[in-house]
Amino acid sequence: MPVIQVSLIRGYSGELKQRLCARLTDAVRHSIAADPEGITVLVHEVEPDAYMRGGRQRMPGAEGKDGKPGMSPEQVVRAFLSAMEARDLGAAKTLLDDEFVMTFPGSGEMHRLEELVAWAGGRYRFVRKCIAAVETCGDGDETTVFCHGELSGEWPDGTPFSGVRFIDRFELRRGRIVRQQVWNDLALARP
């Protein structure tokens, strides 16, 4: 069975190393018919003073947290959805590509978050997403992230709703959101 060995400069978090091991395991599983239990991933760490490239000592790269470059695609999507739920449009915009476009059921294409807020204003007071699962696929600079779960919130008259199914599809380019497509059952749940 496959054995993958990776060398990293010491200093990355355990969470990042676990994510890297999981992604490498998935890459092997999608490339050859290997049982995940038979795939071994080993992470070797070297001290920063024991590593050079181009004749210069190097330090670990940024892991990317809190909206900074380097976040995983899932982290970007979760940060965006959290910022939108909090109506922190400034934070949400930092995660968007210049060519960003979004569509919601019945909305048509929108390019600015303010358009979404205005469009949604007559549909509900607020909405929250309870994410059941997030799936990431793609390679290189292009990534697609799907998340699904249930919506809850309040209708314009203050009546609460919950248990409304949704699926969001995000396309990312170089770590920034280019497209968001949303499907949900809000129209079926509306009184």
Side-chain angles (χ1 to χ4, degrees):
M1 287 296 169
V3 176
I4 300 167
Q5 298 189 46
V6 177
S7 295
L8 293 175
I9 300 172
R10 187 175 307 280
Y12 289 104
S13 70
E15 189 273 331
L16 179 131
K17 290 183 277 189
Q18 289 295 312
R19 191 171 68 239
L20 178 62
C21 289
R23 296 288 196 281
L24 290 170
T25 300
D26 288 343
V28 170
R29 286 186 37 227
H30 294 292
S31 301
I32 61 175
D35 182 340
E37 293 297 319
I39 301 169
T40 302
V41 179
L42 303 169
V43 176
H44 303 284
E45 293 184 297
V46 297
E47 296 298 328
D49 62 357
Y51 175 81
M52 291 184 107
R53 188 177 74 243
R56 294 187 7 226
Q57 183 179 350
R58 305 294 175 143
M59 299 303 293
E63 289 187 34
K65 301 243 187 241
D66 304 323
K68 295 185 175 97
M71 290 193 308
S72 73
E74 179 177 340
Q75 288 173 320
V76 170
V77 165
R78 286 182 182 273
F80 174 77
L81 292 174
S82 292
M84 290 301 295
E85 185 173 305
R87 286 296 185 252
D88 186 349
L89 300 186
K93 287 177 185 178
T94 67
L95 303 168
L96 303 179
D97 187 85
D98 292 339
E99 298 177 20
F100 176 69
V101 63
M102 61 189 145
T103 56
F104 286 72
S107 74
E109 286 191 353
M110 296 179 278
H111 299 272
R112 295 176 33 254
L113 298 180
E114 293 83 2
E115 291 177 87
L116 171 62
V117 172
W119 175 82
R123 288 166 170 69
Y124 47 78
R125 281 188 182 179
F126 70 88
V127 68
R128 291 191 177 95
K129 292 186 177 189
C130 178
I131 297 173
V134 178
E135 301 293 331
T136 303
C137 57
D139 55 6
D141 290 340
E142 306 286 329
T143 309
T144 302
V145 177
F146 292 90
C147 66
H148 68 88
E150 293 184 345
L151 302 174
S152 62
E154 285 184 5
W155 298 115
D157 67 1
T159 305
F161 65 84
S162 63
V164 178
R165 300 177 303 171
F166 79 90
I167 297 174
D168 285 3
R169 180 183 184 274
F170 292 89
E171 294 175 21
L172 285 78
R173 183 185 315 134
R174 293 181 298 281
R176 297 176 63 90
I177 300 170
V178 177
R179 176 178 294 276
Q180 178 186 14
Q181 295 171 288
V182 177
W183 295 269
N184 62 49
D185 290 338
L186 274 174
L188 298 175
R190 189 172 301 177

